[in-house]
Structures are given as structure tokens and as C-alpha cells.
Amino acid sequence: MLFRSDAWLWMPVHPWQRAHLERSASPTLADCIDLGTGPGAATPTASLRSLAVVGRPGTHLKLALSVNALGAVRTLPPRYLHNATLAGACLENLRERDEWLASHLLLCDESHWWALRQRDALEAEPGELACLVRRYPSLPDARLIPMAALPVFTADGALPAFDQLLGPAPEEHDAWALFADVAGALLELGLRCLAYGVIPELHGQNVVLAFRGRRIAALVLRDHDTLRICPPLMDTQGVAVPDYVIHRSTPNTLELATPRELLAYLQTLAIEVNLYAVIAALAERYGRDEAHGWRILRGALEACLARVPLPEAIAASTKSLLLDEQGWPFKQVLAPLLGRASFGTGMPSAMGRLDNPLLPGRC
């Protein structure tokens, strides 16, 4: 569509979003020209708002949607897009400081976005008409597999991602060995970021594994607007704190006051959500108790803790919280969702507690 301000602005708009705005008689559509579908084409991805652009490998188009999913309206508030640009620059800075991150971490480019202005303040913009062009790094010799694909379990008992990587009907030992490699790479990424006072949102949809053969060549991150930061820890490590724009009238989980709060996002999203899903799928396929997978994960975590140079002030406490603490944080979704009185752009959640799955005797 073309929108008129001082000049014409071309902007992709999802058909659902246009229909929603037409029903609401939005004034933002009063002076626009519908260009139709145009010559290009895009295909859906696993993400509700993201489309893969046909003929442009590695290019995705993320569009605003007035769809309520898990208690959050899936528009694209410009403050999120602004924060993603800052977070991406922060992660690039860490790659320059850490040799392992430089060799193993790659980032999607999320710096190109547009949003139609509707408010005077950036934090108040609803993002009902906005888009982001996401470009994946070029990896011509690699096979890219989102981590969310690893636990996909078909009705006939297959794990397609593992079958693609290891060959049809892989031996159980090979499958668990591949899981150990994946767990080690993801945990090392998380701990090395923690050392600088940040944690990306490492659930399965945001992490793409780049394989060369059976070897993990790199981890590719997307959705940088969810980069959690601990400003006090960043300050002690000499890392510039991103100047996030945050709507202070709603709960804020981007800026965290303590390293323990930051670590919780590694425990919950990276381990309990992402890696546990793979453990559960492998255990079901091979008729194993899930404790087998947790033992492998604990071994990978112990190896990472031994080699990652965590700051002295948090090294001992981090190891204790991960390996020795009786309880772990648990990210609650269902109760906060059912109890939500109004809808916003952030998914409602809360932190609860559960038994540490890595304690001896439990794994």
C-alpha cells in the first residue's frame, strides 16, 4: 500500500491487518492507495507474523497483525523494532569481545523497519501498520534447522530433523550424542552472554542451528527485541547498556536488576522450554526415561561452566544456582493468561518454582 504523509510511503500490509483496519474505520487508511498483491510472493513460516520472501533466500518479512495470541496482540510496536536494533548492535559488540561468540554466533539483520506514525511518543505507538525486513546471514554450505524443529514427533514415531541430520532411523546413541552437542552449544552461548550481562530469548523459534554434516557450525539468532539485560552486571563488565524505549505503565522484563533474575531466562526458556522439549521427544522415541536426557544435559552444563570465563562475582553463585539449588524458576503462562484483565503487546507470564531437574537422584 501507499500512504501519504509529506510524501508517499510504500509499505507491505498483511491482508488480515488491512481488513481489521477497514472494519474499525481507521483514519490511517483515509489517504492511501492499495497497490494489490504486486509481482512478489511470500510463504508462511512457523511464526505467525513472518513470511519468507520467494526468490530472496534468507529474507523474511515480518508484518503487524491485530491477532490476539497467548494474550498478546501481535502488532509491531515501533519501540520493539527500535529496541531490536539496539540489542543487535549490543550482541555484535559482544562478538567482537569474545572469540567463541565471534566463531559460533551469527545474527539476523533486523535494522530495516518502517512504521506509520500515529502517536507523539515512541513508547505509545501501537504499531498497527508496521513491517520489518529480516535478513539471515549467508551460509551457503550449511543446513539451517530451527531448534523448534528438533522435537517435532510424527504420528509414525519419526523425528524428521534428526532423521535429516543422522540418516533414516538413526541409532539411539547417535541421536543422544547429537542432543549433547546441541545442548552444549546452546548453553555455552547462554553462559557467555550471561558473562557480559545479557541473555537472548533462547527458545526454539528464535535459535536456528547451522549444520555442516553433523557438526554445528553456528547458532543464528533472531528477534533481538527480546534481549534481556542486567545493567549493573553490564556496567561491571564495561558493556554499553542499550537505551531501550520501554512502556513503563506495563510490566517490564527486559531490564533486570540482578544476575539471578537474568539467569532465570536461561533456565526457563533455553533449558525448560527449548532443550527439555528435545529430551521429551527423544525419550519417547527410544523408550527412555527423561532422566537420561537430563543427565546428558547436566554433563554438558558442567563442561560449559568449566570453560566459560564468568565474572568472579557471579561464577560460584551461577554454578550453585544451576547445579545445587533445590528449586528452579518456572515460567508460568496459563494462569497469567487466564487472569489477564486486558490485552497488550506483551505475553502475560509470571515466575513460579519447581524442583531442580539437574539434581543428582532426579537425573
Short mmCIF file of all heavy atoms in Angstrom, two decimals, residues 13-77:
data_model
loop_
_atom_site.label_atom_id
_atom_site.label_comp_id
_atom_site.label_asym_id
_atom_site.label_seq_id
_atom_site.Cartn_x
_atom_site.Cartn_y
_atom_site.Cartn_z
N VAL A 13 1.48 -4.57 3.84
CA VAL A 13 0.45 -4.71 4.86
C VAL A 13 -0.16 -6.09 4.73
O VAL A 13 -0.52 -6.52 3.63
CB VAL A 13 -0.65 -3.63 4.71
CG1 VAL A 13 -1.76 -3.84 5.74
CG2 VAL A 13 -0.06 -2.24 4.85
N HIS A 14 -0.27 -6.79 5.85
CA HIS A 14 -0.88 -8.11 5.81
C HIS A 14 -2.37 -7.97 5.49
O HIS A 14 -3.04 -7.07 6.03
CB HIS A 14 -0.70 -8.81 7.16
CG HIS A 14 -0.95 -10.29 7.11
ND1 HIS A 14 -2.20 -10.84 6.96
CD2 HIS A 14 -0.09 -11.34 7.17
CE1 HIS A 14 -2.11 -12.15 6.94
NE2 HIS A 14 -0.84 -12.49 7.07
N PRO A 15 -2.92 -8.81 4.64
CA PRO A 15 -4.35 -8.70 4.29
C PRO A 15 -5.27 -8.74 5.52
O PRO A 15 -6.28 -8.05 5.56
CB PRO A 15 -4.59 -9.92 3.38
CG PRO A 15 -3.24 -10.21 2.79
CD PRO A 15 -2.24 -9.86 3.85
N TRP A 16 -4.93 -9.55 6.54
CA TRP A 16 -5.75 -9.60 7.75
C TRP A 16 -5.75 -8.25 8.44
O TRP A 16 -6.77 -7.79 8.94
CB TRP A 16 -5.22 -10.66 8.70
CG TRP A 16 -5.41 -12.06 8.24
CD1 TRP A 16 -6.03 -12.48 7.10
CD2 TRP A 16 -4.97 -13.23 8.92
NE1 TRP A 16 -6.00 -13.85 7.02
CE2 TRP A 16 -5.36 -14.34 8.12
CE3 TRP A 16 -4.30 -13.46 10.11
CZ2 TRP A 16 -5.08 -15.65 8.49
CZ3 TRP A 16 -4.02 -14.77 10.48
CH2 TRP A 16 -4.42 -15.85 9.68
N GLN A 17 -4.57 -7.63 8.48
CA GLN A 17 -4.47 -6.34 9.18
C GLN A 17 -5.25 -5.27 8.43
O GLN A 17 -5.93 -4.44 9.04
CB GLN A 17 -3.00 -5.93 9.32
CG GLN A 17 -2.76 -4.63 10.07
CD GLN A 17 -3.08 -4.75 11.55
OE1 GLN A 17 -3.97 -5.49 11.95
NE2 GLN A 17 -2.38 -4.00 12.37
N ARG A 18 -5.16 -5.27 7.12
CA ARG A 18 -5.93 -4.29 6.35
C ARG A 18 -7.43 -4.47 6.59
O ARG A 18 -8.17 -3.50 6.79
CB ARG A 18 -5.63 -4.40 4.86
CG ARG A 18 -6.52 -3.47 4.04
CD ARG A 18 -6.14 -3.42 2.58
NE ARG A 18 -7.13 -2.65 1.84
CZ ARG A 18 -7.17 -1.33 1.78
NH1 ARG A 18 -6.27 -0.62 2.44
NH2 ARG A 18 -8.11 -0.71 1.08
N ALA A 19 -7.89 -5.72 6.61
CA ALA A 19 -9.31 -5.98 6.84
C ALA A 19 -9.72 -5.49 8.23
O ALA A 19 -10.81 -4.92 8.41
CB ALA A 19 -9.59 -7.47 6.69
N HIS A 20 -8.86 -5.70 9.22
CA HIS A 20 -9.16 -5.24 10.58
C HIS A 20 -9.28 -3.72 10.62
O HIS A 20 -10.22 -3.16 11.22
CB HIS A 20 -8.06 -5.69 11.54
CG HIS A 20 -8.07 -4.97 12.86
ND1 HIS A 20 -8.98 -5.25 13.87
CD2 HIS A 20 -7.28 -3.97 13.34
CE1 HIS A 20 -8.75 -4.45 14.89
NE2 HIS A 20 -7.72 -3.67 14.60
N LEU A 21 -8.35 -3.04 9.97
CA LEU A 21 -8.37 -1.58 10.00
C LEU A 21 -9.55 -1.02 9.21
O LEU A 21 -10.12 0.01 9.58
CB LEU A 21 -7.05 -1.04 9.45
CG LEU A 21 -5.83 -1.33 10.33
CD1 LEU A 21 -4.54 -1.00 9.59
CD2 LEU A 21 -5.90 -0.53 11.63
N GLU A 22 -9.93 -1.71 8.15
CA GLU A 22 -11.12 -1.26 7.40
C GLU A 22 -12.39 -1.40 8.25
O GLU A 22 -13.25 -0.53 8.24
CB GLU A 22 -11.26 -2.07 6.11
CG GLU A 22 -10.25 -1.68 5.04
CD GLU A 22 -10.39 -2.54 3.80
OE1 GLU A 22 -10.90 -3.68 3.92
OE2 GLU A 22 -9.98 -2.09 2.72
N ARG A 23 -12.49 -2.49 9.01
CA ARG A 23 -13.66 -2.68 9.86
C ARG A 23 -13.73 -1.63 10.97
O ARG A 23 -14.80 -1.21 11.38
CB ARG A 23 -13.63 -4.08 10.50
CG ARG A 23 -13.94 -5.21 9.52
CD ARG A 23 -14.24 -6.50 10.26
NE ARG A 23 -13.14 -6.91 11.12
CZ ARG A 23 -12.13 -7.69 10.72
NH1 ARG A 23 -12.10 -8.13 9.46
NH2 ARG A 23 -11.19 -8.05 11.56
N SER A 24 -12.56 -1.21 11.44
CA SER A 24 -12.53 -0.22 12.52
C SER A 24 -12.57 1.21 11.99
O SER A 24 -12.49 2.16 12.76
CB SER A 24 -11.28 -0.42 13.37
OG SER A 24 -10.11 -0.19 12.60
N ALA A 25 -12.67 1.37 10.67
CA ALA A 25 -12.70 2.70 10.04
C ALA A 25 -11.53 3.55 10.50
O ALA A 25 -11.69 4.70 10.88
CB ALA A 25 -14.03 3.40 10.34
N SER A 26 -10.35 2.97 10.45
CA SER A 26 -9.17 3.67 10.93
C SER A 26 -8.87 4.88 10.06
O SER A 26 -8.85 4.78 8.82
CB SER A 26 -7.96 2.73 10.91
OG SER A 26 -6.77 3.44 11.16
N PRO A 27 -8.59 6.04 10.67
CA PRO A 27 -8.25 7.23 9.87
C PRO A 27 -6.93 7.08 9.13
O PRO A 27 -6.67 7.79 8.18
CB PRO A 27 -8.17 8.35 10.93
CG PRO A 27 -7.92 7.64 12.21
CD PRO A 27 -8.64 6.33 12.11
N THR A 28 -6.10 6.12 9.55
CA THR A 28 -4.82 5.93 8.88
C THR A 28 -4.98 5.41 7.47
O THR A 28 -4.07 5.49 6.66
CB THR A 28 -3.93 4.96 9.68
OG1 THR A 28 -4.63 3.72 9.82
CG2 THR A 28 -3.61 5.50 11.05
N LEU A 29 -6.17 4.84 7.15
CA LEU A 29 -6.41 4.33 5.80
C LEU A 29 -7.13 5.35 4.92
O LEU A 29 -7.45 5.05 3.77
CB LEU A 29 -7.24 3.05 5.88
CG LEU A 29 -6.54 1.82 6.49
CD1 LEU A 29 -7.49 0.64 6.50
CD2 LEU A 29 -5.29 1.47 5.72
N ALA A 30 -7.38 6.52 5.48
CA ALA A 30 -8.18 7.50 4.74
C ALA A 30 -7.46 8.02 3.50
O ALA A 30 -8.11 8.36 2.50
CB ALA A 30 -8.54 8.67 5.66
N ASP A 31 -6.16 8.09 3.54
CA ASP A 31 -5.40 8.65 2.41
C ASP A 31 -4.34 7.66 1.99
O ASP A 31 -3.15 7.81 2.28
CB ASP A 31 -4.77 9.98 2.83
CG ASP A 31 -4.27 10.77 1.61
OD1 ASP A 31 -4.55 10.33 0.49
OD2 ASP A 31 -3.61 11.79 1.81
N CYS A 32 -4.76 6.61 1.31
CA CYS A 32 -3.82 5.58 0.90
C CYS A 32 -4.26 4.99 -0.43
O CYS A 32 -5.41 5.15 -0.85
CB CYS A 32 -3.70 4.48 1.95
SG CYS A 32 -5.18 3.49 2.12
N ILE A 33 -3.34 4.31 -1.07
CA ILE A 33 -3.62 3.63 -2.34
C ILE A 33 -3.25 2.17 -2.17
O ILE A 33 -2.12 1.85 -1.78
CB ILE A 33 -2.81 4.25 -3.49
CG1 ILE A 33 -3.18 5.72 -3.67
CG2 ILE A 33 -3.05 3.47 -4.78
CD1 ILE A 33 -2.31 6.43 -4.69
N ASP A 34 -4.20 1.29 -2.45
CA ASP A 34 -3.94 -0.14 -2.37
C ASP A 34 -3.28 -0.59 -3.67
O ASP A 34 -3.87 -0.50 -4.75
CB ASP A 34 -5.26 -0.89 -2.15
CG ASP A 34 -5.04 -2.36 -1.84
OD1 ASP A 34 -3.92 -2.85 -2.04
OD2 ASP A 34 -6.00 -3.01 -1.40
N LEU A 35 -2.05 -1.05 -3.58
CA LEU A 35 -1.30 -1.50 -4.75
C LEU A 35 -1.57 -2.96 -5.09
O LEU A 35 -0.99 -3.48 -6.05
CB LEU A 35 0.20 -1.29 -4.52
CG LEU A 35 0.65 0.15 -4.28
CD1 LEU A 35 2.15 0.19 -4.04
CD2 LEU A 35 0.28 1.04 -5.47
N GLY A 36 -2.42 -3.62 -4.30
CA GLY A 36 -2.71 -5.03 -4.56
C GLY A 36 -1.57 -5.92 -4.11
O GLY A 36 -0.70 -5.52 -3.35
N THR A 37 -1.57 -7.15 -4.60
CA THR A 37 -0.58 -8.12 -4.16
C THR A 37 0.78 -7.90 -4.82
O THR A 37 1.80 -8.32 -4.28
CB THR A 37 -1.05 -9.55 -4.47
OG1 THR A 37 -1.29 -9.66 -5.87
CG2 THR A 37 -2.32 -9.87 -3.70
N GLY A 38 0.83 -7.25 -5.97
CA GLY A 38 2.10 -6.98 -6.61
C GLY A 38 2.71 -8.22 -7.22
O GLY A 38 2.15 -9.32 -7.17
N PRO A 39 3.91 -8.08 -7.81
CA PRO A 39 4.53 -9.20 -8.51
C PRO A 39 5.22 -10.17 -7.57
O PRO A 39 5.54 -11.29 -7.97
CB PRO A 39 5.56 -8.51 -9.41
CG PRO A 39 5.93 -7.25 -8.66
CD PRO A 39 4.66 -6.82 -7.97
N GLY A 40 5.46 -9.79 -6.33
CA GLY A 40 6.20 -10.65 -5.41
C GLY A 40 5.31 -11.69 -4.77
O GLY A 40 4.09 -11.68 -4.89
N ALA A 41 5.93 -12.63 -4.09
CA ALA A 41 5.20 -13.67 -3.38
C ALA A 41 5.94 -14.01 -2.11
O ALA A 41 7.16 -13.83 -2.00
CB ALA A 41 5.05 -14.91 -4.26
N ALA A 42 5.20 -14.48 -1.11
CA ALA A 42 5.79 -14.87 0.16
C ALA A 42 5.04 -16.08 0.69
O ALA A 42 3.87 -16.30 0.36
CB ALA A 42 5.72 -13.72 1.16
N THR A 43 5.71 -16.87 1.48
CA THR A 43 5.10 -18.08 2.04
C THR A 43 5.14 -18.02 3.56
O THR A 43 6.06 -17.43 4.14
CB THR A 43 5.84 -19.34 1.56
OG1 THR A 43 7.21 -19.27 1.97
CG2 THR A 43 5.78 -19.46 0.06
N PRO A 44 4.16 -18.62 4.22
CA PRO A 44 4.13 -18.59 5.68
C PRO A 44 5.30 -19.35 6.30
O PRO A 44 5.87 -20.26 5.70
CB PRO A 44 2.80 -19.28 6.02
CG PRO A 44 2.01 -19.27 4.75
CD PRO A 44 3.00 -19.30 3.64
N THR A 45 5.64 -18.97 7.51
CA THR A 45 6.63 -19.70 8.31
C THR A 45 5.95 -20.15 9.60
O THR A 45 4.76 -19.93 9.81
CB THR A 45 7.83 -18.80 8.64
OG1 THR A 45 7.43 -17.78 9.56
CG2 THR A 45 8.41 -18.15 7.38
N ALA A 46 6.72 -20.75 10.49
CA ALA A 46 6.16 -21.19 11.77
C ALA A 46 5.77 -20.00 12.64
O ALA A 46 4.98 -20.14 13.57
CB ALA A 46 7.17 -22.06 12.52
N SER A 47 6.32 -18.84 12.35
CA SER A 47 5.99 -17.64 13.10
C SER A 47 4.73 -17.00 12.52
O SER A 47 4.60 -16.85 11.31
CB SER A 47 7.15 -16.64 13.04
OG SER A 47 6.81 -15.42 13.66
N LEU A 48 3.83 -16.59 13.39
CA LEU A 48 2.53 -16.07 12.95
C LEU A 48 2.67 -14.86 12.04
O LEU A 48 1.92 -14.70 11.08
CB LEU A 48 1.69 -15.71 14.19
CG LEU A 48 0.27 -15.22 13.94
CD1 LEU A 48 -0.57 -16.34 13.36
CD2 LEU A 48 -0.35 -14.72 15.25
N ARG A 49 3.64 -13.99 12.33
CA ARG A 49 3.74 -12.72 11.61
C ARG A 49 4.81 -12.70 10.53
O ARG A 49 4.94 -11.71 9.81
CB ARG A 49 4.05 -11.59 12.60
CG ARG A 49 2.92 -11.27 13.55
CD ARG A 49 3.35 -10.26 14.59
NE ARG A 49 4.28 -10.82 15.56
CZ ARG A 49 4.78 -10.16 16.60
NH1 ARG A 49 4.47 -8.90 16.77
NH2 ARG A 49 5.60 -10.75 17.43
N SER A 50 5.61 -13.74 10.40
CA SER A 50 6.75 -13.71 9.49
C SER A 50 6.49 -14.53 8.23
O SER A 50 5.98 -15.65 8.29
CB SER A 50 8.01 -14.25 10.19
OG SER A 50 8.38 -13.39 11.26
N LEU A 51 6.86 -13.95 7.09
CA LEU A 51 6.72 -14.59 5.79
C LEU A 51 8.08 -14.70 5.13
O LEU A 51 8.89 -13.77 5.22
CB LEU A 51 5.77 -13.79 4.89
CG LEU A 51 4.37 -13.51 5.43
CD1 LEU A 51 3.66 -12.50 4.54
CD2 LEU A 51 3.57 -14.80 5.52
N ALA A 52 8.35 -15.82 4.48
CA ALA A 52 9.58 -15.98 3.70
C ALA A 52 9.34 -15.44 2.30
O ALA A 52 8.37 -15.81 1.64
CB ALA A 52 9.98 -17.45 3.65
N VAL A 53 10.21 -14.56 1.85
CA VAL A 53 10.06 -13.92 0.55
C VAL A 53 10.59 -14.85 -0.54
O VAL A 53 11.77 -15.23 -0.52
CB VAL A 53 10.80 -12.57 0.51
CG1 VAL A 53 10.64 -11.91 -0.85
CG2 VAL A 53 10.29 -11.65 1.62
N VAL A 54 9.72 -15.23 -1.45
CA VAL A 54 10.09 -16.15 -2.52
C VAL A 54 11.09 -15.47 -3.45
O VAL A 54 10.93 -14.32 -3.85
CB VAL A 54 8.84 -16.59 -3.31
CG1 VAL A 54 9.23 -17.47 -4.50
CG2 VAL A 54 7.88 -17.34 -2.40
N GLY A 55 12.15 -16.20 -3.81
CA GLY A 55 13.17 -15.67 -4.69
C GLY A 55 14.23 -14.85 -3.98
O GLY A 55 15.17 -14.37 -4.61
N ARG A 56 14.08 -14.65 -2.69
CA ARG A 56 15.07 -13.92 -1.89
C ARG A 56 15.49 -14.81 -0.72
O ARG A 56 15.02 -14.64 0.40
CB ARG A 56 14.49 -12.61 -1.36
CG ARG A 56 14.14 -11.58 -2.43
CD ARG A 56 15.40 -10.95 -3.02
NE ARG A 56 15.08 -9.84 -3.89
CZ ARG A 56 15.08 -8.57 -3.52
NH1 ARG A 56 15.36 -8.27 -2.27
NH2 ARG A 56 14.78 -7.62 -4.37
N PRO A 57 16.35 -15.79 -0.94
CA PRO A 57 16.75 -16.69 0.13
C PRO A 57 17.30 -15.92 1.33
O PRO A 57 18.08 -14.99 1.18
CB PRO A 57 17.84 -17.55 -0.52
CG PRO A 57 17.57 -17.48 -1.98
CD PRO A 57 17.02 -16.11 -2.22
N GLY A 58 16.84 -16.32 2.50
CA GLY A 58 17.32 -15.68 3.72
C GLY A 58 16.66 -14.36 4.05
O GLY A 58 17.11 -13.65 4.94
N THR A 59 15.57 -14.02 3.33
CA THR A 59 14.87 -12.77 3.58
C THR A 59 13.45 -13.07 4.06
O THR A 59 12.71 -13.78 3.38
CB THR A 59 14.81 -11.88 2.33
OG1 THR A 59 16.14 -11.58 1.91
CG2 THR A 59 14.07 -10.59 2.62
N HIS A 60 13.11 -12.53 5.23
CA HIS A 60 11.76 -12.68 5.77
C HIS A 60 11.13 -11.30 5.94
O HIS A 60 11.83 -10.31 6.18
CB HIS A 60 11.79 -13.38 7.14
CG HIS A 60 12.01 -14.86 7.05
ND1 HIS A 60 11.88 -15.70 8.13
CD2 HIS A 60 12.36 -15.66 6.00
CE1 HIS A 60 12.12 -16.94 7.77
NE2 HIS A 60 12.42 -16.94 6.48
N LEU A 61 9.83 -11.28 5.81
CA LEU A 61 9.05 -10.06 6.02
C LEU A 61 8.16 -10.28 7.23
O LEU A 61 7.33 -11.19 7.24
CB LEU A 61 8.21 -9.77 4.77
CG LEU A 61 7.32 -8.53 4.81
CD1 LEU A 61 8.16 -7.26 4.93
CD2 LEU A 61 6.44 -8.47 3.56
N LYS A 62 8.33 -9.45 8.25
CA LYS A 62 7.53 -9.55 9.47
C LYS A 62 6.51 -8.41 9.46
O LYS A 62 6.88 -7.25 9.31
CB LYS A 62 8.42 -9.46 10.71
CG LYS A 62 7.70 -9.73 12.02
CD LYS A 62 8.70 -9.78 13.17
CE LYS A 62 8.02 -10.11 14.48
NZ LYS A 62 9.00 -10.19 15.60
N LEU A 63 5.23 -8.77 9.60
CA LEU A 63 4.15 -7.79 9.47
C LEU A 63 3.32 -7.73 10.75
O LEU A 63 3.23 -8.70 11.50
CB LEU A 63 3.24 -8.17 8.30
CG LEU A 63 3.89 -8.20 6.92
CD1 LEU A 63 2.91 -8.74 5.89
CD2 LEU A 63 4.37 -6.81 6.52
N ALA A 64 2.72 -6.57 10.96
CA ALA A 64 1.81 -6.40 12.10
C ALA A 64 0.51 -7.14 11.85
O ALA A 64 0.01 -7.19 10.73
CB ALA A 64 1.55 -4.92 12.33
N LEU A 65 -0.04 -7.71 12.92
CA LEU A 65 -1.34 -8.39 12.87
C LEU A 65 -2.14 -8.02 14.12
O LEU A 65 -1.61 -8.09 15.22
CB LEU A 65 -1.16 -9.91 12.84
CG LEU A 65 -0.77 -10.58 11.52
CD1 LEU A 65 -0.60 -12.08 11.74
CD2 LEU A 65 -1.82 -10.33 10.46
N SER A 66 -3.37 -7.67 13.95
CA SER A 66 -4.24 -7.44 15.11
C SER A 66 -4.87 -8.76 15.52
O SER A 66 -6.09 -8.91 15.54
CB SER A 66 -5.29 -6.38 14.79
OG SER A 66 -4.70 -5.11 14.69
N VAL A 67 -4.02 -9.72 15.83
CA VAL A 67 -4.45 -11.04 16.26
C VAL A 67 -3.98 -11.25 17.68
O VAL A 67 -2.82 -10.98 18.01
CB VAL A 67 -3.87 -12.14 15.34
CG1 VAL A 67 -4.18 -13.52 15.89
CG2 VAL A 67 -4.41 -11.99 13.93
N ASN A 68 -4.88 -11.73 18.53
CA ASN A 68 -4.54 -11.97 19.93
C ASN A 68 -4.09 -13.42 20.07
O ASN A 68 -4.88 -14.34 19.93
CB ASN A 68 -5.76 -11.69 20.81
CG ASN A 68 -5.45 -11.83 22.29
OD1 ASN A 68 -4.38 -12.28 22.66
ND2 ASN A 68 -6.40 -11.45 23.12
N ALA A 69 -2.80 -13.63 20.33
CA ALA A 69 -2.25 -14.98 20.51
C ALA A 69 -1.57 -15.05 21.86
O ALA A 69 -0.67 -14.25 22.16
CB ALA A 69 -1.27 -15.30 19.38
N LEU A 70 -2.00 -15.99 22.69
CA LEU A 70 -1.45 -16.16 24.05
C LEU A 70 -1.53 -14.86 24.84
O LEU A 70 -0.61 -14.51 25.59
CB LEU A 70 -0.01 -16.69 24.00
CG LEU A 70 0.14 -18.12 23.48
CD1 LEU A 70 1.62 -18.50 23.41
CD2 LEU A 70 -0.61 -19.11 24.35
N GLY A 71 -2.62 -14.13 24.67
CA GLY A 71 -2.85 -12.93 25.46
C GLY A 71 -2.13 -11.70 24.97
O GLY A 71 -2.17 -10.66 25.63
N ALA A 72 -1.46 -11.77 23.83
CA ALA A 72 -0.73 -10.62 23.30
C ALA A 72 -1.23 -10.29 21.90
O ALA A 72 -1.43 -11.18 21.07
CB ALA A 72 0.77 -10.92 23.24
N VAL A 73 -1.45 -9.01 21.65
CA VAL A 73 -1.86 -8.54 20.32
C VAL A 73 -0.60 -8.44 19.46
O VAL A 73 0.35 -7.74 19.82
CB VAL A 73 -2.57 -7.18 20.40
CG1 VAL A 73 -2.98 -6.72 19.01
CG2 VAL A 73 -3.79 -7.27 21.31
N ARG A 74 -0.59 -9.15 18.33
CA ARG A 74 0.64 -9.29 17.55
C ARG A 74 0.82 -8.17 16.54
O ARG A 74 0.98 -8.39 15.32
CB ARG A 74 0.63 -10.65 16.85
CG ARG A 74 0.53 -11.83 17.81
CD ARG A 74 1.69 -11.89 18.78
NE ARG A 74 1.56 -13.00 19.72
CZ ARG A 74 2.51 -13.40 20.54
NH1 ARG A 74 3.65 -12.76 20.57
NH2 ARG A 74 2.30 -14.40 21.36
N THR A 75 0.78 -6.94 17.04
CA THR A 75 1.19 -5.82 16.21
C THR A 75 2.71 -5.68 16.30
O THR A 75 3.39 -6.52 16.90
CB THR A 75 0.50 -4.52 16.69
OG1 THR A 75 0.81 -4.31 18.07
CG2 THR A 75 -1.01 -4.61 16.52
N LEU A 76 3.25 -4.64 15.71
CA LEU A 76 4.70 -4.40 15.76
C LEU A 76 4.97 -3.00 16.33
O LEU A 76 5.24 -2.06 15.56
CB LEU A 76 5.32 -4.52 14.36
CG LEU A 76 5.49 -5.91 13.78
CD1 LEU A 76 6.08 -5.83 12.38
CD2 LEU A 76 6.40 -6.76 14.67
N PRO A 77 4.88 -2.84 17.64
CA PRO A 77 5.15 -1.52 18.22
C PRO A 77 6.55 -1.04 17.84
O PRO A 77 7.52 -1.79 17.96
CB PRO A 77 5.05 -1.77 19.74
CG PRO A 77 4.17 -2.97 19.86
CD PRO A 77 4.50 -3.82 18.67
#
